[in-house]
Amino acid sequence: MKIGSIEIPSPFVVAPMAGMTDTAFRRLVKRRGGCGLVVTEMVSSEGLVRGIDRTLEYAEYTEEERPVSIQIFGGDPPKMAAAARIVQDMGADIVDVNMGCPVPKIAKHNAGCSLMREPEHAARVVEAMVEAVKIPVTVKMRAGWNDKDRNAPMLARMVQEAGASAVTIHGRTAEQSYTGSADWELVGRVARDLRIPVFGSGDCVEPEQVIEKMKVGVNGVLVGRGVLRNPWILAQAADIAAGRPPRVVTLRERGEFLLDYIDLLLEQRDNEKEGFRHVAPGAEQKSVKASGHERWVINKLRALCAWYSKGLDSGSHLRVAVNSAESVSQLRRIVDEFFMTMPATV
Ligand SMILES: Cc1cc2nc3c(=O)[nH]c(=O)nc-3n(C[C@H](O)[C@H](O)[C@H](O)COP(=O)(O)O)c2cc1C
């Protein structure tokens, strides 16, 4: 399948998740296989244009992740067009617009899901971006703002006409946030209606669910929280799609994932080949290592383990232990003890 001119080798995608799906995490998921596309955490168009936002690092990606989509948020068409140009200059394959974030801090600035409340304006944002860049522009939206206004089918059509190359729908409304369940019937309806690729998102925790959701007629599925619990889920979905039983992941392999994540976070920017890491203009000088790098790594592991520990036997013990770790060496010891001393599989 292709998004614009970009070949997507598998329909299974790592969903963007602010604070979670950083470049190190995405690389590790990608190495496990089955992953056709990764999307960065959302980054502010305003920040990209001004080149001084503290969240510019969210736009960072590495060559290992291609094809890669950088997701931006904002509501001002000229600014979104300028930000899309920066994303293109960073060498990204795709630029994605966030029309799904329900967080008031974002939504009140006429960005994120509040764009769904003004469909004409949302289409103008897409149009301005499409005019500004050669790379594909895609949109990620929700089912609608609230239950009274589930307008994704209409807006998806409008952004297609505005030149979008693909659309993703998370089948919940902004008002639902993460409660209830995603409406895959609506997602399927949009998929049948549009000529551009349509992706669905929501509630795939097991690889079998990813395959099941494909049957509504989407071109692909973005997996969010499921990939934080189980970074092999895309590879396992690819196994099932190929007629194989999904691969079994040992406890030791799950532990190794966390140790690799620690290493990638600690070593990022060390001994990397020229051109391997792409950063937003203005973020070049900034190195988290300058201050509190170890603390940052510990916090990253805490955030991941809140999800990763779900579904593991004694997962709450792991969570409590990781939350009390005060150094990286302590973290490594905790992971070692939890995962490496038991031969069981999960
Ligand atoms: C912690 C977290 C952060 C998220 N951040 C973003 C984001 O930055 N951009 C976006 O489009 N969606 C974001 N999402 C939504 C996911 O991409 C996804 O559409 C949603 O979680 C439903 O899929 P799931 O049930 O597989 O998690 C986020 C979700 C979570 C749980």
Side-chain angles (χ1 to χ4, degrees):
M1 176 222 336
K2 279 186 164 183
I3 295 179
S5 58
I6 304 298
E7 181 68 40
I8 308 297
S10 155
F12 312 126
V13 178
V14 182
M17 282 177 287
M20 306 305 305
T21 50
D22 53 62
T23 164
F25 182 82
R26 298 190 305 260
R27 284 163 69 188
L28 290 177
V29 173
K30 185 102 196 185
R31 285 179 195 174
R32 273 141 192 90
C35 170
L37 177 69
V38 301
V39 189
T40 67
E41 304 165 79
M42 62 180 178
V43 59
S44 150
S45 55
E46 182 91 35
L48 277 174
V49 172
R50 293 192 325 173
I52 51 164
D53 200 82
R54 88 187 152 76
T55 60
L56 284 181
E57 72 200 53
Y58 297 158
E60 231 172 275
Y61 74 93
T62 63
E63 281 298 307
E64 193 182 343
E65 296 163 59
R66 284 196 195 281
V68 59
S69 168
I70 294 184
Q71 188 187 65
I72 63 175
F73 69 89
D76 178 52
K79 214 163 267 167
M80 288 292 275
R85 243 177 264 125
I86 293 169
V87 165
Q88 174 171 268
D89 291 346
M90 284 177 67
D93 299 292
I94 295 169
V95 58
D96 186 59
V97 187
N98 182 312
M99 294 193 194
C101 184
V103 177
K105 196 172 75 181
I106 307 285
K108 79 171 179 225
H109 290 298
N110 201 12
C113 201
S114 67
L115 279 171
M116 293 195 76
R117 306 176 91 175
E118 294 180 70
E120 279 87 22
H121 182 73
R124 271 201 298 282
V125 168
V126 172
E127 212 169 70
M129 292 170 66
V130 169
E131 269 171 32
V133 294
K134 291 196 176 67
I135 58 173
V137 175
T138 60
V139 175
K140 182 163 179 283
M141 62 178 75
R142 285 189 173 235
W145 179 261
N146 59 24
D147 224 22
K148 286 198 279 305
D149 201 9
R150 300 168 79 80
N151 64 348
M154 179 194 67
L155 181 60
R157 223 168 208 268
M158 288 172 72
V159 300
Q160 170 180 275
E161 300 319 314
S165 295
V167 169
T168 297
I169 295 163
H170 171 199
R172 285 187 176 81
T173 63
E175 259 180 27
Q176 271 183 296
S177 190
Y178 290 94
T179 62
S181 52
D183 180 354
W184 279 86
E185 188 278 322
L186 175 144
V187 177
R189 239 185 308 137
V190 176
R192 287 191 293 280
D193 186 47
L194 264 53
R195 29 168 220 280
I196 55 175
V198 172
F199 294 74
S201 172
D203 305 338
C204 295
V205 177
E206 301 295 337
E208 291 80 6
Q209 292 169 319
V210 179
I211 300 301
E212 196 55 38
K213 304 298 189 210
M214 286 292 290
K215 292 184 189 153
V216 304
V218 286
N219 298 82
V221 172
L222 271 70
V223 183
R225 292 163 294 180
V227 96
L228 302 177
R229 289 165 73 134
N230 171 22
W232 288 261
I233 187 171
L234 305 181
Q236 290 171 325
D239 286 337
I240 300 171
R244 299 185 294 265
R247 66 199 63 186
V248 174
V249 182
T250 64
L251 205 51
R252 170 170 287 273
E253 284 173 304
R254 289 188 194 267
E256 279 161 2
F257 182 95
L258 290 180
L259 295 178
D260 287 348
Y261 187 45
I262 294 172
D263 287 345
L264 280 187
L265 291 172
L266 276 177
E267 292 160 13
Q268 66 179 14
R269 295 193 176 83
D270 291 348
N271 306 317
E272 286 175 352
K273 277 206 198 107
E274 180 89 27
F276 177 67
R277 183 176 296 268
H278 301 264
V279 300
E284 297 96 340
Q285 301 308 319
K286 192 172 161 227
S287 169
V288 259
K289 283 187 193 170
S291 68
H293 188 59
E294 182 160 341
R295 170 56 46 189
W296 176 77
V297 174
I298 293 168
N299 288 339
K300 279 271 171 195
L301 262 289
R302 286 182 183 173
L304 178 59
C305 282
W307 299 96
Y308 201 78
S309 59
K310 287 189 178 132
L312 291 177
D313 277 348
S314 312
S316 61
H317 292 156
L318 175 68
R319 210 153 47 237
V320 169
V322 167
N323 284 343
S324 64
E326 285 300 332
S327 67
V328 165
S329 53
Q330 225 181 325
L331 264 184
R332 286 201 176 104
R333 224 171 19 251
I334 290 164
V335 172
D336 239 33
E337 274 166 20
F338 188 88
F339 291 96
M340 310 302 186
T341 51
M342 287 182 271
T345 59
V346 274

